[in-house]
Amino acid sequence: SSTPRTTLAAQPHTHRPKIEEQHSCNYTECDSTGSRWRVAIPQNPGACTGLPEPVRGTECTFSCKAGEFLEMSAQECTQCAAGSYSLGSGIRFDQWDSMPAGFSSLATAQEINPHGDDRLTCNSSSWIPQGNYLESNRDECTVSLIYAVHLKKQGSVSFEYQYPDNNLLFEFFIQNDQCQEMDQSAETKWLKLTNHGEWATHTVNLKSGTNILYWRTGGVLMGAKVVKPVLLKNVQIEGVAYTSECFPCKPGTFSQVPGSSTCQPCPRDTYSGHGASSCTPSFVFSEGSAACKDRPPCSKKDYFQIHTACDHEGKTQVIYKWIEPKICLEGVTGADKLPPSGEREPCPPCNPGFYNNDTATCSPCPAGTYSDGTKPCKQCLAGTEPTLGYEYKWWNVLPANMKTSCFNYLVCPLGWEVAGDYIQSGAGSSDNDYLILNIHIPGFKLPTSVSSPSGTEFGRVTFEFETLCTADCELYFMMSTTVVESWQKTKARQSYTHVMTKNASVSYTWAFQRTNQPSDVRRYVNDVARIYTISVSNAVDGVSSGCRVCALSAQPSSSMCVPCPRGHYVDTNQCTECPKNTYLVPDATPGPDACKPCGPASKSDKDHSLCYSDCHFTHTEGNVTLSYDFSPLGSVGSLMNGPSFTSKGTKYFHQFNISLCGGQDHLAVCTDNVTDLSNTDSQREKGEGANTLKTFICQSTIIPASGRGFHTSLSSQSINLAESFVGASVENTLNGIRARPELYPQTSKKVPDVNFYYKSSEMTSSCETGRSAVVTLRCNPEKSTKGELSVPSQCPAGTCDGCTFHFLWESSGACPTCTERDFHRIEGSSLHILALPRSSIIQYTPKLCIGGATLPEKKRVPCEGMEFWIRLGAGLGAFTAILLVSLTCYFWKKNKLEYKYSRLVMSANKECELPGADSCAVMEGENEGDMEDEVVYTKPSLLGKLKAIASKVSLTV
């Protein structure tokens, strides 16, 4: 160990001190004895002359405390000067005006579109410094933020992030110096979604040695949806042996004394620049300001209106207040003044479930009582029970279980403000702030009579809203951190309902953002979102606005409400089971009408919670009945169509899972494994994960691992396409859902297609009545029993309008059951092989059918003798020929005699006349002979002779 090694310890590039302008110093790697050397490193490559000799360095276990740095020339720990700080054995990155040294951003193109469009590149995709944070890409490229650090001891890395949009995939993982990924749990690799505008902290332990840190984003964008980027700030790494220089305080902060381990933010009305030891007095409107700004004249965007609480006289008024902190000037030219307060007006009534007992506030009705908000609370009558929930339609004050806030990269002062008939988004600090309105529901409680849930609905939230925007505003409705639905730009007043399918604590959140573009000013303050009504049913801590009929105990004197078994409704205070093949509507009024009949070819389960197909279907047309048994197809089918490519060439697939037959135990399952990787494999297989969807038909977006940079295939964006089975029919329309047979041309119509109709009540901004789906089952003997699922070629995503999905399931298992009429007899020709007797084959051939009646065996029977029939045919032919010849001769002879007879008659008649000239007589005789010879020579046809005979006979007569 007498000579130093030339391999240098990996340290952050930004922390190497400069002893002289021409070189800096650093330590070599520790040798086997725990020693190391301090060596000089030239600033310019190749300039190796004039460098100081290597000096034995400090022990490898050496480190400095927080607030100190290692001064390399003396190899001693020295306190940081005022205006700077150090973490001792840690490094921190909290300023992102530019990409710090040591960090790199690497973009990787996704799967390339086979059309080979050269424009679809990722050259412009990168993590972008934005001052206080880093912003990820918003496109489909995979972009990695990379940083390498060498730790002398075990340590950790922590950072803050915003991840509000699951259209992007966000993972954090670690590699060693051999580019091998470190062992890491799913909880630390895949980052959890955050609420809009809120920062989350993520911490991962690091091993000693080289650690290469990766923050990786990428997504699949379908449509023109605006994607919210991932934001990253305050990256801190612990476990380095030392820091060789102190970090200067970032603008807006200061450290007043030497040896500081942190910097403090400047107070309000002060600011500081880079590396400040104190703050300078000036006008600024918040803490931690990096510059002094001019105060603009006040305008309408600097104040807001509120309704005062009801006073003892039951009066309220509109007053105006400046937005705090106030950043504008009143007494200057062009400045607006605060408007005067409005007139005192009667307070609106209390919301249902609350009452006003001659006080200034509305109070909730006591348990067991109810009120519509305008009258005192009343006790529910015997045989009834109060309904629980919330219904807000008057907004004089913010309800007690609601909170409003404003988030951006810093917390802003104002969220939503009440305005009497509605609650609307406030001004905020800037146009891209998230204005948050939140209501927390600790759980759900069904009415006593239906306390055993007969379905999957535990409650529902309904709200009426509108948005008025000139920019690219967006209103989000979220359940906890999951975006349920969003609306962009101006939307007319409308209602939206979301069904809660799990009994759990939940926070419903409305978040409004005026623009997605970075902004630190207020330009679109008049762009607002308004909510007119919000109602939540079956809230466990809710109030009562009315009473509901319940079932009473069997005890004659009891007035206690008792739960009904599943599938039962309340009828005259008694539990009555729904009729066969009906299902119980969870939110219906008690009574027989609460049981709705199942559709054609469907039946209800034993709990009357849903309708389903038992795989049997019958169709009668005329006097022919076709019976189908779809059991061979299986209860659940899957289809993965594609691949499809987005505008940047990213390859993705759509996977559809379809539950054809069966009830609750045979539903299709789709799982989002990006945000659900913390669940065990057994949980995911059983469909028990928090992000698992169980329904009749669901869709997932599958992103293959190959070519993406991600290390596993990802399933995300699971969508519920059908939560109820409407029925099966050969008709093309059922309950307003229309099949489109033209999408699947059919060459043969001997066996009709059977359409399975499904419906989802979950509304979207484009499907106001919810989604629907049609699965067409087609008999095709050339396919296997399981068959093949497909989507229309004209609509490769399965839908042409985004609301109705169409599927074709071709299979031999979709053929009707065979019966005797499906067989016909085929006569085979006689065979004469050697000495075998001639015979025929009786063969039965099946038509388009499956199962049922079995095919009879083929039979052989002796052929009947053919010689008899040949002889008979030859005899009949000879007889016919002789008969024709005889008739011909007969008629010819008869024709000749009759002709001569007619000539003789004519000669006899001439004897009574005067004698003619001899020459004439001679000529007459000669002519007669000539004519006679001519008749014989011409040989008229049989038909001609018959005509001649007929004419002569008539002439004779």
Side-chain angles (χ1 to χ4, degrees):
S1 304
S2 58
T3 57
R5 297 173 58 188
T6 57
T7 303
L8 301 182
Q11 296 291 339
H13 302 301
T14 53
H15 313 316
R16 293 174 181 168
K18 297 181 180 179
I19 307 238
E20 298 178 4
E21 290 187 1
Q22 293 81 9
H23 68 272
S24 61
C25 293
N26 211 331
Y27 285 123
T28 62
E29 292 281 357
C30 294
D31 56 27
S32 57
T33 64
S35 301
R36 58 183 174 181
W37 293 78
R38 190 199 71 183
V39 295
I41 302 174
Q43 297 294 326
N44 299 319
C48 297
T49 58
L51 297 177
E53 294 294 327
V55 177
R56 186 174 293 277
T58 59
E59 295 181 358
C60 292
T61 57
F62 173 84
S63 63
C64 294
K65 297 184 297 185
E68 298 179 341
F69 74 101
L70 178 65
E71 207 287 310
M72 290 294 289
S73 60
Q75 298 191 60
E76 294 180 353
C77 293
T78 305
Q79 282 190 340
C80 292
S84 64
Y85 73 98
S86 80
L87 304 176
S89 60
I91 51 179
R92 178 187 295 161
F93 301 94
D94 55 5
Q95 188 173 352
W96 305 91
D97 295 321
S98 60
M99 191 71 75
F103 280 86
S104 61
S105 181
L106 176 64
T108 305
Q110 309 291 354
E111 296 281 349
I112 301 302
N113 193 313
H115 298 93
D117 194 340
D118 295 336
R119 294 172 299 172
L120 306 179
T121 63
C122 296
N123 296 336
S124 59
S125 300
S126 174
W127 284 81
I128 304 172
Q130 296 285 8
N132 291 325
Y133 57 87
L134 272 177
E135 179 180 295
S136 76
N137 60 310
R138 302 175 184 227
D139 54 25
E140 299 151 1
C141 298
T142 297
V143 182
S144 298
L145 177 68
I146 307 172
Y147 182 76
V149 63
H150 189 84
L151 302 186
K152 292 298 183 181
K153 58 183 179 180
Q154 290 186 351
S156 64
V157 55
S158 64
F159 54 88
E160 296 180 51
Y161 71 94
Q162 281 188 17
Y163 177 30
D165 196 337
N166 61 2
N167 286 287
L168 281 179
L169 306 174
F170 183 29
E171 66 173 334
F172 172 74
F173 62 96
I174 307 162
Q175 290 183 350
N176 58 21
D177 54 0
Q178 301 298 319
C179 295
Q180 297 172 336
E181 188 171 341
M182 302 282 196
D183 293 335
Q184 196 173 350
S185 67
E187 293 182 353
T188 59
K189 180 177 180 179
W190 295 101
L191 281 299
K192 302 296 183 183
L193 290 170
T194 63
N195 287 319
H196 283 62
E198 292 186 350
W199 292 91
T201 301
H202 189 69
T203 303
V204 179
N205 293 327
L206 301 178
K207 297 181 179 179
S208 59
T210 300
N211 294 264
I212 305 175
L213 312 180
Y214 286 82
W215 292 267
R216 181 167 290 173
T217 57
V220 173
L221 313 183
M222 271 119 2
K225 181 176 176 63
V226 177
V227 174
K228 306 297 182 184
V230 174
L231 307 183
L232 181 69
K233 70 175 183 178
N234 293 341
V235 178
Q236 182 168 321
I237 302 172
E238 296 286 348
V240 297
Y242 61 87
T243 176
S244 55
E245 66 178 358
C246 295
F247 296 91
C249 291
K250 67 177 183 178
T253 65
F254 73 103
S255 64
Q256 194 169 10
V257 297
S260 297
S261 59
T262 59
C263 295
Q264 304 297 322
C266 286
R268 183 178 173 180
D269 292 333
T270 63
Y271 75 99
S272 69
H274 189 76
S277 58
S278 62
C279 298
T280 304
S282 177
F283 166 75
V284 290
F285 57 87
S286 63
E287 293 184 351
S289 296
C292 184
K293 298 182 178 180
D294 294 332
R295 301 180 65 177
C298 290
S299 63
K300 293 181 179 180
K301 64 184 179 182
D302 294 310
Y303 61 82
F304 62 98
Q305 69 173 29
I306 62 170
H307 284 69
T308 61
C310 290
D311 56 21
H312 64 282
E313 296 180 359
K315 296 292 185 69
T316 183
Q317 66 179 148
V318 174
I319 63 173
Y320 297 87
K321 289 186 175 182
W322 295 111
I323 297 175
E324 295 293 338
K326 184 180 176 183
I327 62 174
C328 64
L329 294 174
E330 293 183 66
V332 296
T333 304
D336 288 345
K337 295 183 179 180
L338 200 65
S341 300
E343 298 292 333
R344 296 175 68 243
E345 300 174 352
C347 291
C350 296
N351 284 306
F354 293 83
Y355 73 101
N356 188 331
N357 192 13
D358 295 330
T359 61
T361 59
C362 293
S363 303
C365 287
T369 64
Y370 70 96
S371 173
D372 62 357
T374 62
K375 301 176 183 178
C377 300
K378 296 181 180 180
Q379 191 78 29
C380 286
L381 300 176
T384 63
E385 61 177 332
T387 58
L388 296 179
Y390 292 104
E391 184 179 357
Y392 298 121
K393 57 183 180 180
W394 302 110
W395 302 94
N396 186 54
V397 294
L398 190 69
N401 63 340
M402 279 190 176
K403 293 182 179 179
T404 180
S405 56
C406 178
F407 287 102
N408 198 348
Y409 314 118
L410 298 173
V411 177
C412 50
L414 186 62
W416 292 66
E417 56 192 32
V418 295
D421 294 335
Y422 51 81
I423 184 172
Q424 69 177 7
S425 54
S429 295
S430 63
D431 286 337
N432 64 349
D433 290 341
Y434 290 99
L435 308 174
I436 307 296
L437 179 65
N438 176 274
I439 179 172
H440 178 72
I441 307 298
F444 295 87
K445 180 181 179 181
L446 295 173
T448 303
S449 299
V450 291
S451 58
S452 296
S454 59
T456 57
E457 180 177 334
F458 290 88
R460 58 177 59 193
V461 55
T462 302
F463 58 94
E464 191 176 358
F465 72 97
E466 71 175 349
T467 56
L468 303 172
C469 300
T470 57
D472 57 332
C473 72
E474 189 163 6
L475 174 66
Y476 300 87
F477 172 63
M478 297 180 291
M479 186 174 66
S480 298
T481 59
T482 303
V483 176
V484 177
E485 189 56 76
S486 63
W487 298 267
Q488 294 179 346
K489 299 186 177 180
T490 297
K491 295 296 178 183
R493 185 169 175 173
Q494 58 188 277
S495 179
Y496 179 82
T497 298
H498 174 71
V499 176
M500 184 67 183
T501 58
K502 295 181 180 179
N503 191 0
S505 175
V506 63
S507 291
Y508 293 116
T509 302
W510 294 263
F512 179 71
Q513 188 182 39
R514 289 184 168 89
T515 178
N516 189 47
Q517 303 302 318
S519 173
D520 57 357
V521 296
R522 294 194 296 263
R523 297 178 181 175
Y524 308 109
V525 69
N526 292 324
D527 291 6
V528 296
R530 291 172 179 167
I531 298 178
Y532 292 89
T533 62
I534 297 177
S535 64
V536 182
S537 64
N538 301 334
V540 70
D541 62 340
V543 295
S544 176
S545 59
C547 298
R548 174 189 176 104
V549 176
C550 66
L552 296 179
S553 172
Q555 300 289 338
S557 60
S558 175
S559 61
M560 297 278 297
C561 294
V562 295
C564 287
R566 294 189 178 187
H568 287 65
Y569 65 93
V570 180
D571 187 12
T572 63
N573 299 120
Q574 298 294 324
C575 295
T576 305
E577 185 177 4
C578 284
K580 184 179 180 180
N581 291 336
T582 63
Y583 67 97
L584 184 62
V585 180
D587 201 42
T589 304
D593 292 339
C595 300
K596 302 297 182 182
C598 293
S602 66
K603 59 190 302 183
S604 65
D605 59 2
K606 62 180 181 179
D607 295 333
H608 298 277
S609 60
L610 54 78
C611 299
Y612 67 95
S613 169
D614 61 355
C615 280
H616 290 84
F617 178 78
T618 302
H619 170 61
T620 301
E621 186 173 350
N623 58 350
V624 177
T625 299
L626 299 177
S627 298
Y628 296 81
D629 183 5
F630 301 120
S631 300
L633 277 69
S635 59
V636 178
S638 295
L639 164 66
M640 182 180 290
N641 69 332
S644 300
F645 294 86
T646 60
S647 59
K648 275 191 172 291
T650 304
K651 182 169 72 174
Y652 67 93
F653 299 84
H654 277 151
Q655 178 168 332
F656 300 93
N657 293 330
I658 301 174
S659 174
L660 188 66
C661 306
Q664 291 280 3
D665 298 332
H666 298 87
L667 294 177
V669 178
C670 291
T671 302
D672 184 351
N673 71 351
V674 176
T675 55
D676 200 30
L677 289 174
S678 59
N679 294 324
T680 63
D681 293 336
S682 60
Q683 284 179 315
R684 288 194 292 271
E685 290 174 0
K686 296 177 181 178
E688 297 176 354
N691 295 290
T692 298
L693 182 63
K694 296 183 67 175
T695 185
F696 280 100
I697 302 178
C698 57
Q699 171 195 304
S700 295
T701 300
I702 306 298
I703 306 167
S706 59
R708 289 195 46 81
F710 293 102
H711 303 285
T712 182
S713 295
L714 304 178
S715 172
S716 65
Q717 303 175 9
S718 296
I719 301 174
N720 179 9
L721 301 182
E723 65 189 23
S724 60
F725 176 60
V726 179
S729 174
V730 297
E731 302 297 331
N732 294 329
T733 303
L734 182 63
N735 287 7
I737 307 174
R738 187 173 70 90
R740 297 183 59 185
E742 69 274 9
L743 297 177
Y744 306 106
Q746 187 175 10
T747 57
S748 174
K749 296 184 179 180
K750 294 181 179 179
V751 177
D753 294 340
V754 180
N755 298 314
F756 277 52
Y757 294 89
Y758 298 87
K759 181 70 176 177
S760 173
S761 60
E762 188 173 312
M763 297 184 299
T764 66
S765 57
S766 58
C767 307
E768 296 181 355
T769 59
R771 298 184 179 94
S772 58
V774 182
V775 181
T776 300
L777 302 181
R778 175 170 295 174
C779 172
N780 189 341
E782 299 179 358
K783 300 290 184 180
S784 64
T785 303
K786 282 287 187 180
E788 180 180 348
L789 269 168
S790 63
V791 294
S793 57
Q794 302 94 316
C795 312
T799 178
C800 301
D801 58 4
C803 296
T804 303
F805 289 76
H806 301 272
F807 306 93
L808 176 65
W809 198 334
E810 288 187 283
S811 166
S812 59
C815 296
T817 304
C818 292
T819 61
E820 292 182 358
R821 69 172 180 274
D822 294 306
F823 306 132
H824 65 278
R825 176 173 172 169
I826 297 179
E827 296 286 348
S829 61
S830 294
L831 302 176
H832 186 71
I833 304 174
L834 298 178
L836 295 178
R838 291 190 175 105
S839 63
S840 65
I841 300 176
I842 298 177
Q843 183 178 1
Y844 291 82
T845 303
K847 291 185 177 180
L848 300 176
C849 63
I850 186 173
T854 58
L855 182 67
E857 296 181 357
K858 296 178 182 180
K859 298 180 181 180
R860 285 179 178 269
V861 297
C863 294
E864 297 183 4
M866 297 298 295
E867 293 80 356
F868 169 77
W869 296 105
I870 294 175
R871 288 195 297 269
L872 180 61
L876 291 174
F879 174 77
T880 303
I882 295 171
L883 179 62
L884 291 175
V885 172
S886 300
L887 289 173
T888 302
C889 295
Y890 169 75
F891 285 115
W892 178 82
K893 185 66 175 178
K894 187 176 181 180
N895 179 46
K896 186 173 182 181
L897 292 175
E898 289 181 353
Y899 176 73
K900 289 183 177 181
Y901 175 77
S902 64
R903 297 292 296 173
L904 181 59
V905 171
M906 292 175 65
S907 298
N909 291 333
K910 291 181 181 181
E911 291 180 357
C912 299
E913 299 176 359
L914 291 176
D918 293 338
S919 61
C920 293
V922 174
M923 291 179 63
E924 184 178 352
E926 291 175 356
N927 290 341
E928 182 179 352
D930 294 339
M931 291 179 62
E932 181 179 346
D933 294 339
E934 184 179 353
V935 171
V936 175
Y937 176 77
T938 57
K939 295 181 181 179
S941 64
L942 179 61
L943 181 61
K945 291 179 180 180
L946 294 175
K947 289 181 179 180
I949 292 170
S951 62
K952 289 178 181 179
V953 172
S954 60
L955 179 62
T956 303
V957 176

